[in-house]
Amino acid sequence: MAGAKLHYLPPYSPELNPIEMAFGSVLGYLRAHSSDPRYLCVDGYYTLLEDAFRSIDYRKASSFIGHMYTELA
């Protein structure tokens, strides 16, 4: 009724899966910031993980979804 459409992904398509794109972004953040002195202590590791996940804002998440729809069209 709201006009939503259901799109099924192919059986295994990590390049189209938004969660794979998000994890790739988190891993990229971890690689880029792992040698930062602020994160070298044990508590700093948890802060690094938190910052990595917080680096995915609504614009990034929207681009992951937009990429999927662009490739499916």
Side-chain angles (χ1 to χ4, degrees):
M1 288 172 46
K5 295 180 183 177
L6 184 60
H7 293 278
Y8 290 100
L9 293 175
Y12 181 70
S13 55
E15 67 279 356
L16 297 178
N17 190 340
I19 195 68
E20 295 285 347
M21 293 179 220
F23 282 137
S25 179
V26 167
L27 287 175
Y29 187 96
L30 292 175
R31 286 185 188 111
H33 294 89
S34 62
S35 61
D36 189 327
R38 295 176 295 160
Y39 300 127
L40 294 179
C41 64
V42 174
D43 290 335
Y45 181 72
Y46 293 111
T47 305
L48 174 62
L49 284 173
E50 181 180 348
D51 291 348
F53 282 106
R54 288 185 187 274
S55 73
I56 301 173
D57 59 0
Y58 72 93
R59 287 178 295 250
K60 247 187 202 181
S62 294
S63 72
F64 298 154
I65 304 235
H67 172 74
M68 178 186 70
Y69 281 120
T70 306
E71 294 295 319
L72 287 174

